Every structure is written in C-alpha cells, then in structure tokens.
Amino acid sequence: KIVVALLAVSVLSLVGAGSALIKNTADSFYENEEYMSAYSWYKASANLNFTDDESARKVSVCLRNLGRARSDESEAIRYTDKAIARSKNNMANYVEKARVYEEAKRFDRAISQWENIIGKALHNDEYKLRYSKVLYKVIKKEEKGNSKTKEAYEKLILISEQTKDLDIKKEINNYKLNLQTGIKNLQFNANKFN
C-alpha cells in the first residue's frame, strides 16, 4: 500500500496535479482511519510545502495512531510545532502536542503542555479531564510520597475544584478516590508487616 501511495504521489507531482489533490487524497485516507496511507500522502503534501496547520497536525495524529509517537517523537513534535506556528489560536494543535508527549511517556512535558492549554482555555472541562488523566498516570507511575507525586496530586485536587461540568468532575474525583485508596492500601500493607 505504501509503495503504491508513494508511486501515485510521485506521478501526480510530475504531471502537475497539484498539492490540492494530494491533500484531498490524504484527507480521505485520514477520515477512513487508514493512517499509514494518510501519513504517506501527507508527507508528499509536505514535500510540496502544504501551508495549512491542519495537515501538519494530521501527520502527527497519523504517527500517534500508528503507535510511532514514541519512536518518532521528534518528527511528530516537529509537525505539531509547524501547525502551532501556522495557527497559534487553534487549540487542536496544542492538544495534539500534549497527546504526543503522553504517548511518548514524556509526562513532564505533557503536563506542561496541558497547563499551557488550560491557561488558554480555562473553561474547557474536557481539557481538564485529559490533564487529570496525565496527572493520574504520573502518580501511578511514580513512587508514593515523592515530591513529584505530591505535586501531581495537589494539581489534581485543584483541577477538580475548577471543573464545572458535573460528569467530568465526577470522573476526576474518581481518579482522586482511586489514588487515596491505593495510598491507604500501601500504608495498611506496610503496617501489617511491621
């Protein structure tokens, strides 16, 4: 499939079909969640200097959906940075960058990116939920009681207090409850063997 897509892109480029047709083909594959083919077509479109932020972001989305955000993190971030540079007000570009960092397990950078996003879109509770999920992952990953865990837990409490949507607030509070239960179980088990 990839060879056929690259060959078709090369032929279209040579005959002057233009970047619009290449982009439309890439978009079609993307909408059908055929990320490998979409990625190949977007890369060809990038070689023809696409100028919209959406295509740059979609290259990153393709890499992430192909499970390559971790191995190709620098490429995915490069495309999200291009998207951000082309449209500084499009929050989807910032969200994609945060998601790449999440997939690459670069949680410090993901947290920083989500804090940046929430600072720009303070009233978006969906963003707060995504941010809470990253905080939860950090807390679960780290040793209980270290400074990073405490800081993430304090941020989780703050985000819960700032969230207006009751369903989202409930989900965030479930993260807090799971963490509190986990901490109590750890303390109980430690006391049991002392």
Side-chain angles (χ1 to χ4, degrees):
K1 268 186 170 181
I2 297 171
V3 174
V4 172
L6 291 174
L7 182 61
V9 169
S10 299
V11 170
L12 289 172
S13 298
L14 288 173
V15 297
S19 61
L21 180 58
I22 293 172
K23 184 188 174 311
N24 290 342
T25 303
D27 286 342
S28 178
F29 282 119
Y30 182 88
E31 295 303 320
N32 289 317
E33 297 180 1
E34 295 179 39
Y35 295 114
M36 182 56 79
S37 297
Y39 172 75
S40 300
W41 284 84
Y42 282 126
K43 290 288 287 184
S45 180
N47 291 337
L48 296 175
N49 294 322
F50 59 67
T51 57
D52 65 305
D53 67 304
E54 184 180 9
S55 293
R57 182 181 64 255
K58 285 180 178 179
V59 171
S60 177
V61 172
C62 288
L63 285 168
R64 194 168 42 77
N65 281 292
L66 291 168
R68 292 175 42 195
R70 194 169 196 171
S71 63
D72 292 330
E73 175 191 348
S74 60
E75 181 180 11
I77 293 299
R78 187 174 66 248
Y79 278 101
T80 58
D81 286 344
K82 283 182 182 183
I84 289 167
R86 291 181 179 136
S87 182
K88 293 192 184 314
N89 295 325
N90 188 341
M91 293 307 293
N93 298 331
Y94 296 95
V95 169
E96 177 56 24
K97 187 172 186 176
R99 294 191 71 191
V100 168
Y101 284 136
E102 285 176 49
E103 292 291 321
K105 304 206 181 312
R106 304 286 294 258
F107 295 120
D108 289 345
R109 289 183 180 188
I111 287 171
S112 177
Q113 190 64 30
W114 280 113
E115 288 170 351
N116 179 34
I117 292 164
I118 290 169
K120 292 177 184 201
L122 190 58
H123 301 293
N124 188 317
D125 285 348
E126 289 291 330
Y127 294 159
K128 291 175 187 170
L129 179 59
R130 290 289 314 184
Y131 175 57
S132 297
K133 288 178 182 178
V134 176
L135 291 171
Y136 181 75
K137 287 177 186 176
V138 167
I139 295 167
K140 293 293 279 185
K141 177 181 161 268
E142 295 292 327
E143 286 184 38
K144 303 293 184 237
N146 75 15
S147 62
K148 196 181 271 190
T149 303
K150 288 177 185 174
E151 182 182 338
Y153 189 71
E154 288 168 4
K155 289 178 180 181
L156 189 60
I157 291 169
L158 183 63
I159 279 298
S160 173
E161 292 169 356
Q162 294 173 350
T163 302
K164 303 288 185 236
D165 182 294
L166 294 179
D167 289 332
I168 291 175
K169 188 177 195 99
K170 183 179 177 182
E171 201 167 335
I172 293 170
N173 285 333
N174 281 338
Y175 290 136
K176 286 178 15 191
L177 183 62
N178 282 340
L179 293 169
Q180 289 167 350
T181 303
I183 290 168
K184 285 179 186 172
N185 286 340
L186 279 174
Q187 290 170 343
F188 173 77
N189 289 332
N191 291 335
K192 187 175 166 180
F193 294 105
N194 285 335

